[in-house]
Amino acid sequence: MNKKVFNKNIISFYIAFIFITIASSLPHSVLTVLLFQKGLSLSQIMIVQAVYSLAILLSEYPSGLLADIYSKKNLFIISKFFLILMFILVLCGKNIVVMSIAWFFYGISSALDSGTIDAEIINDLKTLNQENKVSKFISNTNRFNFISLLIGSTIGSWIYYRIGIRFYFISILLTLLSILIIQIFYLEHSKMSRPNDSNALTGMLKQINSGITELKGSFDLKLMIALTFVSQFFFQTHYQIWQALFLFKGFNKKNFFIYYIIFQLISFIAYSIPFSSRSINKKSKRYLSVEGLIMIIGLISIPNNNKIIFLVSYLMLVFVFTFFDYFSNVLFSEAVSIERISSLTSLKSSCGRIASLISMMLSSFLLNLFSVSFVVTLNFACAIISSLVVISIFVKKQARPTPE
């Protein structure tokens, strides 16, 4: 592949990705307030979020299969039209039915986007024999994501109280710009994964069969999917309940935006650590052991009533789990084949989505019986113990001598 074309593609992707992330994150810091204004109750907001997760769960793996068979660029663009449709429905709708439909389209958009242009860039790096740069690409993408989230949520929280829900027009404009950038400047070239079958269903069935075969033959892929699954018990608890937990601990809700920024900065740092599968050695295994110890200490300290001890422990857990997420993404991307990267990446994400739904349903039930602190500690304990088991299996496997 022409390196000049590749560099142009990756810059186009980064710019479009930034625009999309800002467009999607404008309502983040005021979303609950916005949905209250639309007439939804707190329980109805949870239903809308569940519809979003269900849409992703139902459509993500099929969309990954399509991305392996057909044009990743076209699927990326189609996903953005679904996103625009979601923005329009939120602008015009005012009840739970319309909001549920809007978030269902949002889920389809997220699912279609999974494993498209980003996966093709990873394939291009492999084709150019630059596998060592896969981790850098994933790191850069996530760092741009965190920066864009901060920009979008900050701007959104400021302009919402000035122009109201009309800030979705800005989201629509940014999304249209991202579509134009990809359409004009991104050159799709890969034809290697396109089957000759005239029947799309036949092609998808072949892709499923070959994907299962590849997954069965790769212990690393299975371990990284397992790590993604168990870590969702931490991430979903963190995303959905951290504000309620901080209120329970006596933190001032006026400072929540500061903590949100700190979380993003921690994630930015975690994804900035140089890492690839080739760099795994005895030293890095020691680091993983230290991070395991930090997780245990953090878990023990979560129930502590001292605000400083609690906050430091909580932030340490956010850092470690974010790094593990980076760790699993890099190893999975480097191990998966070029032909099936989209479908298996979507499968990995779908497994994480199943764990997310399980975690949310269990937490919703347990919160009626126990304190928020107990429910968070229970979820964190499940995530930490399971993650340590997966990591220890991976470390032991790496310690075994490779057969000649």
Side-chain angles (χ1 to χ4, degrees):
M1 178 191 181
N2 188 311
K3 192 172 182 180
K4 185 177 179 181
V5 172
F6 173 75
N7 290 334
K8 183 180 177 181
N9 280 352
I10 201 168
I11 291 172
S12 301
F13 169 75
Y14 282 149
I15 295 172
F17 179 79
I18 290 169
F19 283 171
I20 288 294
T21 307
I22 293 175
S24 301
S25 62
L26 283 177
H28 276 191
S29 58
V30 293
L31 186 58
T32 301
V33 177
L34 186 154
L35 291 175
F36 279 156
Q37 195 177 45
K38 290 288 183 178
L40 275 66
S41 66
L42 189 58
S43 60
Q44 288 175 328
I45 292 174
M46 293 298 293
I47 292 172
V48 168
Q49 294 290 350
V51 169
Y52 167 77
S53 294
L54 181 63
I56 294 181
L57 182 60
L58 293 174
S59 57
E60 189 155 36
Y61 184 56
S63 71
L65 292 170
L66 290 173
D68 276 336
I69 298 171
Y70 300 111
S71 167
K72 291 178 171 61
K73 176 180 176 178
N74 288 345
L75 278 177
F76 177 89
I77 292 173
I78 291 170
S79 75
K80 302 316 162 203
F81 281 114
F82 273 101
L83 184 60
I84 290 173
L85 186 56
M86 178 266 188
F87 293 150
I88 294 172
L89 286 173
V90 176
L91 271 167
C92 302
K94 282 191 175 181
N95 56 56
I96 184 174
V97 175
V98 178
M99 293 303 105
S100 295
I101 294 172
W103 258 259
F104 188 83
F105 285 145
Y106 188 19
I108 292 176
S109 171
S110 299
L112 286 174
D113 179 63
S114 174
T116 54
I117 291 179
D118 55 336
E120 185 158 74
I121 290 173
I122 290 173
N123 281 348
D124 290 340
L125 287 170
K126 291 180 178 180
T127 303
L128 293 168
N129 295 319
Q130 295 183 14
E131 290 93 340
N132 58 317
K133 292 185 178 180
V134 169
S135 62
K136 182 180 178 182
F137 169 70
I138 294 174
S139 176
N140 286 341
T141 302
N142 281 277
R143 282 186 286 182
F144 283 134
N145 180 59
F146 297 133
I147 293 170
S148 302
L149 283 173
L150 284 176
I151 294 171
S153 59
T154 302
I155 294 174
S157 65
W158 184 77
I159 64 174
Y160 176 75
Y161 294 104
R162 288 159 179 79
I163 66 173
I165 199 171
R166 290 191 299 275
F167 66 3
Y168 271 112
F169 286 114
I170 300 174
S171 296
I172 293 172
L173 177 62
L174 289 172
T175 306
L176 287 172
L177 284 173
S178 72
I179 292 172
L180 285 174
I181 288 168
I182 294 301
Q183 180 63 39
I184 296 170
F185 298 107
Y186 187 91
L187 179 63
E188 188 173 38
H189 61 90
S190 178
K191 304 291 183 183
M192 62 181 300
S193 61
R194 315 280 170 79
N196 294 320
D197 306 71
S198 57
N199 190 325
L201 180 60
T202 303
M204 291 180 69
L205 290 174
K206 283 186 176 181
Q207 196 70 10
I208 291 171
N209 184 58
S210 60
I212 292 172
T213 301
E214 179 173 344
L215 195 59
K216 285 181 178 179
S218 175
F219 195 62
D220 284 353
L221 290 181
K222 287 182 283 190
L223 279 179
M224 293 308 105
I225 289 177
L227 186 58
T228 298
F229 183 91
V230 299
S231 65
Q232 287 305 309
F233 285 88
F234 172 84
F235 283 117
Q236 287 307 311
T237 304
H238 167 55
Y239 294 148
Q240 306 296 337
I241 311 180
W242 76 266
Q243 293 185 16
L245 177 63
F246 277 45
L247 286 173
F248 181 84
K249 293 290 184 179
F251 288 86
N252 191 332
K253 62 181 180 181
K254 293 181 180 179
N255 296 325
F256 280 3
F257 187 72
I258 296 174
Y259 301 131
Y260 177 81
I261 292 174
I262 293 173
F263 294 150
Q264 298 304 321
L265 290 174
I266 288 174
S267 300
F268 182 90
I269 293 169
Y271 270 94
S272 298
I273 299 173
F275 172 78
S276 71
S277 59
R278 296 179 181 182
S279 66
I280 297 176
N281 49 37
K282 291 182 179 179
K283 191 175 181 180
S284 61
K285 290 169 190 174
R286 288 193 208 106
Y287 289 150
L288 291 174
S289 301
V290 170
E291 287 178 345
L293 181 60
I294 292 173
M295 292 166 78
I296 294 172
I297 295 172
L299 177 63
I300 295 172
S301 304
I302 287 295
N304 197 295
N305 290 324
N306 185 292
K307 288 184 181 179
I308 296 176
I309 294 176
F310 162 79
L311 185 60
V312 171
S313 302
Y314 195 94
L315 295 178
M316 286 194 306
L317 288 175
V318 171
F319 173 82
V320 172
F321 271 99
T322 303
F323 177 76
F324 279 175
D325 184 59
Y326 175 39
F327 174 87
S328 68
N329 287 339
V330 171
L331 264 66
F332 190 91
S333 296
E334 291 184 347
V336 71
S337 68
I338 291 175
E339 296 81 6
R340 286 168 288 278
I341 186 170
S342 295
S343 55
L344 290 181
T345 298
S346 294
L347 178 62
K348 174 175 174 284
S349 182
S350 295
C351 290
R353 188 62 56 180
I354 292 171
S356 300
L357 286 171
I358 293 172
S359 175
M360 284 191 288
M361 288 189 292
L362 282 176
S363 296
S364 178
F365 172 75
L366 292 172
L367 284 169
N368 293 317
L369 304 174
F370 305 103
S371 71
V372 64
S373 180
F374 177 82
V375 173
V376 169
T377 304
L378 187 65
N379 273 282
F380 282 11
C382 177
I384 288 170
I385 293 170
S386 302
S387 296
L388 288 176
V389 169
V390 174
I391 291 295
S392 63
I393 293 172
F394 176 79
V395 170
K396 286 180 181 178
K397 178 182 176 295
Q398 294 298 312
R400 294 174 192 160
T402 305
E404 297 292 336

